[in-house]
Amino acid sequence: MTITRQNGSLYTSIQDNIATIEFGHPASNSFPSELLDRLAKEFKILSDNNSVAIIVLKSEGEKAFCAGASFDELIAIENLEQGKQFFAGFANVINAMRVCTKLIVGRVQGKTVGGGVGLAAACDYVLATEAAAIKLSELTIGIGPFVIAPAVERKIGLAAFSELTLEATHWKNAYWAKEKGLYAKVLENTKELDIALEHFTQKLASYNTQALLAMKKVLWEQTEHWGDLLLERAKTSGALVLSEATKKALAKFSK
């Protein structure tokens, strides 16, 4: 399926019981709200598709995996309701990934920031390249990674999440992300990444689908409250983005 290029693109293909979702946007594969909404709905559709055993999540191009949410939309927020709706975008995607009945394998080919780190953390298994550095820069503009925090902390632990969040101007390389548990494997380049991805997903898709579903449930135990938690976190971020300090920080980026 597709959406207008102005709001990014989203394509899904299914082959050999493996569904591949590819998203893209000219601004370093960032997510406007409409694209986040389409992605959340796509996970729900594939969750109910009996011909799908595994889902692969990837972005287009050879550079950035995901630059997070749309900065233009962030700057344009004028009230609390708009703020809540904006930050609920990634909350809804992460929750859709959490309750999806299929295991989700992430393909991270390049740098990822903010909400993009949350997407990677919400995958059940992630393959990445050496170029796939990560950063959570939210504190630099007066907000924080509140919505994605549960997903990231679940993968890398509180200490690593604290380090990543508080060192808001520093990139952590792919091997740091692997050491902390965000990535399962780091490959030298995209060619090696795609070879490893194909081999892994084909093997995974050949397993008993009932066992895969049961494993998915086990991996996400004790997250049932996230449906409410992430939306509450969206309210927190929505309020902070209206603060004087954040408005001042965002003004530096206004066109």
Side-chain angles (χ1 to χ4, degrees):
M1 59 177 58
T2 64
I3 58 177
T4 60
R5 189 61 186 162
Q6 181 181 358
N7 288 316
S9 57
L10 187 69
Y11 303 94
T12 299
S13 61
I14 301 174
Q15 185 174 0
D16 298 327
N17 304 116
I18 300 169
T20 299
I21 303 173
E22 180 174 348
F23 64 88
H25 192 280
S28 300
N29 292 328
S30 59
F31 272 94
S33 297
E34 180 182 337
L35 187 56
L36 284 170
D37 182 59
R38 296 294 294 270
L39 181 58
K41 290 177 179 177
E42 188 67 4
F43 279 120
K44 294 175 183 177
I45 291 170
L46 294 175
S47 181
D48 295 331
N49 189 331
N50 293 330
S51 69
V52 172
I54 301 296
I55 298 172
V56 172
L57 179 65
K58 63 182 291 188
S59 64
E60 67 178 24
E62 296 289 324
K63 296 183 178 180
F65 170 70
C66 179
S70 168
F71 210 75
D72 289 341
E73 287 189 13
L74 176 65
I75 293 174
I77 293 172
E78 296 180 343
N79 56 60
L80 186 58
E81 183 59 28
Q82 289 179 354
K84 175 188 171 184
Q85 290 301 318
F86 174 84
F87 289 103
F90 271 103
N92 292 333
V93 170
I94 290 173
N95 276 318
M97 295 172 74
R98 174 179 64 86
V99 301
C100 181
T101 61
K102 322 295 181 180
L103 290 169
I104 301 169
V105 179
R107 175 194 181 273
V108 182
Q109 82 280 14
K111 288 183 175 180
T112 186
V113 183
V117 179
L119 280 186
C123 291
D124 299 296
Y125 191 97
V126 177
L127 295 163
T129 70
E130 292 181 347
I134 61 174
K135 181 169 68 173
L136 294 181
S137 56
E138 286 87 343
L139 284 178
T140 65
I141 56 171
I143 55 177
F146 302 111
V147 170
I148 66 169
V152 180
E153 184 181 339
R154 167 180 167 270
K155 273 294 182 71
I156 70 177
L158 180 59
F161 174 68
S162 298
E163 180 180 345
L164 186 61
T165 302
L166 300 183
E167 294 182 355
T169 61
H170 295 163
W171 289 97
K172 297 294 186 180
N173 67 36
Y175 290 104
W176 184 92
K178 180 180 181 297
E179 176 188 347
K180 303 304 180 183
L182 182 65
Y183 301 153
K185 290 184 179 180
V186 174
L187 291 306
E188 184 176 350
N189 50 51
T190 54
K191 180 180 178 180
E192 296 299 320
L193 172 64
D194 287 332
I195 291 172
L197 179 67
E198 182 179 10
H199 178 75
F200 178 73
T201 54
Q202 286 184 349
K203 180 181 292 186
L204 200 60
S206 72
Y207 298 155
N208 183 342
T209 54
Q210 291 180 320
L212 294 176
L213 171 58
M215 194 68 244
K216 175 81 178 195
K217 292 179 178 179
V218 168
L219 292 177
W220 288 92
E221 282 180 348
Q222 300 181 0
T223 64
E224 294 82 2
H225 62 296
W226 283 20
D228 294 325
L229 175 63
L230 300 194
L231 292 179
E232 284 298 317
R233 295 289 182 85
K235 290 181 183 179
T236 299
S237 295
L240 281 171
V241 79
L242 298 173
S243 68
E244 183 177 348
T246 300
K247 286 293 187 183
K248 184 177 180 180
L250 290 174
K252 299 176 183 178
F253 300 94
S254 298
K255 296 180 181 180

